[in-house]
Amino acid sequence: MSDALLQSHEFFSFLTGKVSTAISRRLQRNLKLAKLNITSEQWTILYHLWQEEGLTQQELANLTFRDKPSITRLINNLEKISLVIRVNDKQDRRSNLIYLTKEGRRLKEEGMKQSAITLSEAVAGLEIEELRTAQHILDKVFKNIK
Amino acid sequence: MSDALLQSHEFFSFLTGKVSTAISRRLQRNLKLAKLNITSEQWTILYHLWQEEGLTQQELANLTFRDKPSITRLINNLEKISLVIRVNDKQDRRSNLIYLTKEGRRLKEEGMKQSAITLSEAVAGLEIEELRTAQHILDKVFKNIK
DNA sequence: CTTCTTTAATTGCATAAGCAACCTAAATTA
DNA sequence: TAATTTAGGTTGCTTATGCAATTAAAGAAG
């Protein structure tokens, strides 16, 4: 790689989170505007549970690329606000299966809507082809360092 | 934008930080391996001071895309470990000018080296042209939502 | 079986982030 | 020049993260 690019602050700063920080903040703001009192991090957990309930904390950790302690605490907080419950797995008593509460399920529609809005704000004016390209490239980066 | 892409979990998850989290962790790890006891967040502050000392906290906030309280606390911690000092601006007594200590300057060489290593690990196997493309696209996203 | 190892989750400790409220100094304006 | 607004920083409160160490259950090896 060229030194010019290596030294490019712009390049490094987007890799180190400028864009994703901006997206999280925007999602957070949109959730708040829609009266959803959840953080963007909580959203990422709920997102996966909206697709499939009964995931273990380890599975959630893998899906959201967080470590186990982070998941423990996110689930603690989500339980505190009564959006999910831990159910001890009878088959494997080490595991907790995480389920949505009725209220947790109720948030799906608005939660998905706000994330879709956020995403469309983010990618406004971009071509599908550009998005595919960016995704492809970032995927390679991720594989390099995950 | 197509629904297929809107629903793409992969796409959303990289936008919400998978890649940048991985980069931060890798940088953190590389710094630690090189015996530099600073966090990746502290690195971003030092990076700008290595380019130019005497920046105000507000300028650092703008450069690193953080809010003012975050900078206050990062500078507190950097002062605590004696890498920077606050100097009250005589011209504008509201401002602090942030300078590196001798030790802070000493870390420049190794700090820049480790970030270069991290970056080259991240972009291994990618073409310059791909990187330019990704940067360009992410720049558009950032402008949309910053 | 009993020991050893691996796995799921939790806890402790330290750092970092966002938002709102606040303080003080500077700049504006009336 | 007094009153108001703006700008730079700090503090309080809450949430989130990483890493290391720990507990308890499950699985493997002897």
Side-chain angles (χ1 to χ4, degrees):
Chain A
M1 215 183 70
S2 83
D3 282 347
L5 198 54
L6 257 173
Q7 285 163 14
S8 159
H9 167 252
E10 266 311 302
F11 183 70
F12 204 84
S13 91
F14 93 69
L15 280 181
T16 54
K18 220 171 69 169
V19 175
S20 62
T21 303
I23 298 239
S24 295
R25 287 185 197 167
R26 179 61 66 105
L27 175 58
Q28 186 75 76
R29 198 181 82 183
N30 287 340
L31 291 170
K32 191 171 184 179
L33 286 173
K35 307 289 183 202
L36 291 184
N37 282 322
I38 54 174
T39 66
S40 54
E41 293 86 357
Q42 291 170 348
W43 181 93
T44 65
I45 300 293
L46 292 175
Y47 172 85
H48 290 285
L49 294 174
W50 287 329
Q51 317 304 314
E52 180 185 0
E53 298 195 31
L55 298 171
T56 66
Q57 296 185 197
Q58 183 60 62
E59 287 168 335
L60 285 167
N62 296 338
L63 288 167
T64 63
F65 195 57
R66 290 182 168 87
D67 68 357
K68 286 185 288 182
S70 293
I71 300 298
T72 294
R73 281 146 180 155
L74 281 172
I75 299 297
N76 286 350
N77 287 338
L78 284 166
E79 255 192 334
K80 208 180 298 171
I81 57 177
S82 302
L83 296 183
V84 308
I85 51 166
R86 286 176 165 94
V87 175
N88 197 259
D89 187 346
K90 299 289 180 218
Q91 262 63 52
D92 183 342
R93 290 175 26 243
R94 292 170 304 179
S95 297
N96 294 328
L97 307 180
I98 311 299
Y99 290 92
L100 292 164
T101 62
K102 187 173 280 191
E103 177 64 9
R105 283 182 207 112
R106 200 184 64 74
L107 298 190
K108 175 176 181 179
E109 191 182 358
E110 193 63 31
M112 291 302 290
K113 182 177 164 194
Q114 292 308 317
S115 67
I117 289 174
T118 303
L119 189 49
S120 57
E121 288 173 344
V123 303
L126 282 108
E127 301 298 325
I128 283 281
E129 218 25 72
E130 292 183 289
L131 297 175
R132 275 194 233 293
T133 303
Q135 179 167 355
H136 180 66
I137 295 168
L138 289 182
D139 223 57
K140 284 193 191 173
V141 171
F142 183 66
K143 285 196 172 67
N144 279 338
I145 52 166
K146 71 179 171 200
Chain B
M1 213 181 75
S2 85
D3 282 346
L5 197 55
L6 257 173
Q7 285 163 13
S8 157
H9 165 251
E10 269 308 306
F11 183 69
F12 206 84
S13 90
F14 93 71
L15 280 181
T16 55
K18 220 171 71 170
V19 176
S20 63
T21 303
I23 298 239
S24 295
R25 287 185 197 166
R26 178 62 64 106
L27 174 59
Q28 186 75 74
R29 198 181 83 182
N30 287 341
L31 290 171
K32 191 171 184 178
L33 287 173
K35 307 290 184 200
L36 290 185
N37 283 320
I38 55 174
T39 66
S40 55
E41 293 86 356
Q42 291 170 348
W43 181 92
T44 66
I45 300 293
L46 293 174
Y47 172 85
H48 289 285
L49 294 175
W50 287 329
Q51 316 306 311
E52 179 184 0
E53 299 195 30
L55 297 170
T56 66
Q57 296 185 198
Q58 183 61 60
E59 286 168 337
L60 285 168
N62 297 338
L63 287 167
T64 62
F65 197 56
R66 291 181 168 91
D67 69 356
K68 289 184 289 180
S70 293
I71 300 298
T72 293
R73 281 147 180 153
L74 281 172
I75 299 296
N76 286 350
N77 287 338
L78 284 167
E79 256 193 334
K80 208 180 297 171
I81 57 178
S82 301
L83 295 183
V84 308
I85 50 165
R86 285 176 166 95
V87 176
N88 196 259
D89 187 346
K90 299 291 182 215
Q91 263 64 53
D92 183 342
R93 289 174 27 240
R94 292 172 305 181
S95 299
N96 294 327
L97 307 180
I98 311 300
Y99 289 91
L100 292 164
T101 62
K102 186 173 281 191
E103 178 65 8
R105 283 184 207 112
R106 200 183 63 75
L107 299 188
K108 175 176 182 179
E109 191 183 0
E110 193 63 30
M112 291 301 290
K113 182 178 164 193
Q114 293 308 317
S115 67
I117 288 174
T118 304
L119 188 50
S120 57
E121 288 172 345
V123 302
L126 282 107
E127 300 298 324
I128 282 281
E129 216 28 70
E130 292 183 288
L131 297 177
R132 274 194 236 291
T133 303
Q135 179 166 357
H136 180 65
I137 296 168
L138 289 183
D139 222 56
K140 284 192 190 175
V141 172
F142 184 65
K143 285 197 173 64
N144 279 338
I145 52 167
K146 71 178 169 197

